[in-house]
Amino acid sequence: MDLSPVISTFKDTVVGIATTNGPAIILAIGAIWAAYGAFGYIKRLLHKAG
């Protein structure tokens, strides 16, 4: 049984998903990091003010 066609199809699918959703995933991670950073910063400011 030759798995080469299956492997190449799988590879094409993974590459397709990565090229389509890669930027979106990176943006989502960036947005989460930015929100987390802003939240921590605001918390520090409130802590100082309080």
Side-chain angles (χ1 to χ4, degrees), residues 17-27:
I17 291 167
T19 49
T20 314
N21 299 333
I25 292 165
I26 292 164
L27 283 174

Side-chain angles (χ1 to χ4, degrees), residues 24-39:
I25 292 165
I26 292 164
L27 283 174
I29 292 168
I32 291 164
W33 267 110
Y36 186 75
F39 182 69

